Amino acid sequence: MMFTMVQYGLLLAAALFTSQGAYLFARPALRILQASLRTDRRHLTRMKALRELRRKDIRRSGRWVKAAGRLHRWLELLLITTGGDKDRPGAVQSFLLLAASLFGAVGTLALFASGSVRFSLLMAVIAVFCLYMRYHMKLRKIQIQGGYDLAEAVGILTSKYKVNRGNMRSALREASQEVRSVTIRRHFIKLVREEINYTNPEELERSVEEFVYSINTSFAKQLGLALLKGLVRGEYVESTLSSIDKNIHKNIDMLRDEGDSSSEVLQLSWLHVLLFPALILFMVVFMGFSSTMHYQLGTETGRYWLTITVIFILFSLVMAFWFKRPPNDY
């Protein structure tokens, strides 16, 4: 019994010493392996963090890129519509360069005239805003007139579409020869040219988008969708064209009356533009040019009221053009 216990005790001690020796022998290698595993874990953790950061940057930059793309396309549509036949590549870049030059020139002149940085910056911003409003007012005028001209164009296009038995390209080509509106005629011709040469439906969609933007009414959007169906998919859209033609003529007289009344509001809004220079001229006559310029630009009170006056004049013009726009759904 005692012998057996001693034997097992020795075996246990031998096992412990062997295990301890094996551990001591393998400890350097184990430490190296442990350090390597820790390094790998840190590397994986950092790589995961970097990937997450890169994804966030991509998403963030993607949003900025999309926003910049939408802004570029918005300016491009504005300049294409207001430019008419002068549509040319680089129009957006030219507009931005013009705006930057105007900002710098007006800001510099206002700074030398008043000595106030805040006033010069405000005048520069107002100058750029006036440049934009010049294009925007022209755009409103084109869109409003296009809304009325669309009634004639849809009627002609519908009749030509019936004659050509659903051939949208031929209908557009023949309709462009009879439409009196220069803007709509130009878009019809461009659609025919794009339909012949396009390799990607997006190219044709861009042309339709430009046509819709030049009018910007619900009927123009419906017609644009019908044009895409007829040109890209080859669908028969005679019922859609007839429905648009019927609905667009329902209230055309009411819209023209509304346009006449809104024109009176617009003419009244221009009264501020005439009265303000007249007031400045009146001050120059009675106070002298130097005193007037000193009061308007050299004093805080003069700069304040000059700024307020210009802002209210611009606001009245903007509101007049906004209310002149006919409703989107006739």
Side-chain angles (χ1 to χ4, degrees):
M1 184 66 180
M2 182 63 67
F3 176 77
T4 303
M5 293 178 61
V6 172
Q7 184 181 7
Y8 281 111
L10 291 175
L11 291 174
L12 178 60
L16 291 175
F17 284 122
T18 302
S19 300
Q20 182 69 16
Y23 169 73
L24 293 175
F25 178 78
R27 185 167 60 179
L30 291 175
R31 286 181 175 177
I32 294 174
L33 179 61
Q34 187 178 14
S36 177
L37 291 175
R38 282 199 301 266
T39 303
D40 290 341
R41 280 198 298 269
R42 285 197 302 269
H43 176 71
L44 291 175
T45 303
R46 291 175 181 175
M47 289 300 296
K48 184 178 180 180
L50 286 174
R51 283 195 296 269
E52 290 295 330
L53 183 61
R54 190 177 294 112
R55 290 195 192 100
K56 292 180 180 179
D57 291 339
I58 291 174
R59 287 196 295 267
R60 192 180 299 112
S61 61
R63 287 195 295 267
W64 282 108
V65 169
K66 290 180 180 178
R70 286 194 294 267
L71 178 61
H72 184 276
R73 182 57 178 165
W74 171 66
L75 280 176
E76 187 179 30
L77 289 172
L78 173 66
L79 297 174
I80 287 174
T81 304
T82 56
D85 295 331
K86 299 178 182 179
D87 175 27
R88 58 185 182 275
V92 176
Q93 290 78 4
S94 300
F95 175 80
L96 294 177
L97 180 61
L98 175 61
S101 302
L102 183 64
F103 182 89
V106 173
T108 303
L109 290 175
L111 180 62
F112 279 110
S114 64
S116 173
V117 176
R118 289 182 300 175
F119 178 75
S120 61
L121 289 176
L122 183 59
M123 287 294 103
V125 171
I126 291 177
V128 174
F129 179 74
C130 290
L131 175 65
Y132 164 74
M133 286 308 303
R134 173 179 172 271
Y135 283 92
H136 195 70
M137 288 178 180
K138 187 176 181 180
L139 172 67
R140 287 293 190 195
K141 184 178 179 180
I142 293 173
Q143 288 178 338
I144 292 168
Q145 186 59 43
Y148 299 132
D149 294 338
L150 186 64
E152 177 202 23
V154 171
I156 295 174
L157 180 62
T158 303
S159 63
K160 297 300 180 182
Y161 188 78
K162 293 177 182 178
V163 170
N164 287 276
R165 298 180 180 180
N167 190 324
M168 183 61 76
R169 184 204 300 175
S170 300
L172 285 170
R173 184 187 296 111
E174 295 181 8
S176 64
Q177 299 173 2
E178 299 185 16
V179 172
R180 288 180 294 179
S181 172
V182 177
T183 302
I184 296 179
R185 185 192 309 128
R186 185 179 69 250
H187 282 292
F188 279 5
I189 295 174
K190 185 175 182 180
L191 283 171
V192 173
R193 185 170 62 249
E194 290 291 341
E195 198 275 337
I196 295 174
N197 300 321
Y198 82 97
T199 57
N200 190 332
E202 292 182 358
E203 299 175 6
L204 197 57
E205 290 175 3
R206 288 174 65 88
S207 298
V208 172
E209 182 185 15
E210 293 171 6
F211 165 69
V212 173
Y213 185 83
S214 66
I215 302 174
N216 197 30
T217 63
S218 60
F219 290 121
K221 295 174 183 177
Q222 294 174 22
L223 179 59
L225 183 59
L227 290 174
L228 281 177
K229 289 180 179 179
L231 292 173
V232 178
R233 305 176 190 173
E235 297 183 13
Y236 193 72
V237 292
E238 180 184 343
S239 60
T240 303
L241 293 177
S242 300
S243 176
I244 296 173
D245 184 36
K246 179 181 178 181
N247 293 330
I248 203 172
H249 281 87
K250 280 185 177 179
N251 299 323
I252 194 69
D253 294 333
M254 182 190 69
L255 286 173
R256 292 193 181 278
D257 294 339
E258 180 183 325
D260 294 337
S261 61
S262 60
S263 297
E264 297 175 359
V265 176
L266 180 61
Q267 293 171 3
L268 182 63
S269 68
W270 282 101
L271 183 63
H272 304 81
V273 182
L274 299 176
L275 289 178
F276 178 64
L279 178 61
I280 296 296
L281 182 61
F282 181 81
M283 293 176 63
V284 170
V285 171
F286 285 92
M287 297 174 55
F289 181 79
S290 300
S291 299
T292 302
M293 291 298 101
H294 173 73
Y295 173 75
Q296 290 293 338
L297 301 176
T299 63
E300 287 289 340
T301 304
R303 289 195 295 266
Y304 173 78
W305 286 111
L306 176 63
T307 305
I308 293 297
T309 304
V310 172
I311 289 176
F312 270 96
I313 290 175
L314 293 176
F315 180 76
S316 65
L317 289 175
V318 171
M319 294 303 294
F321 268 90
W322 178 262
F323 285 113
K324 181 178 171 62
R325 181 174 66 92
N328 195 36
D329 292 306
Y330 293 162

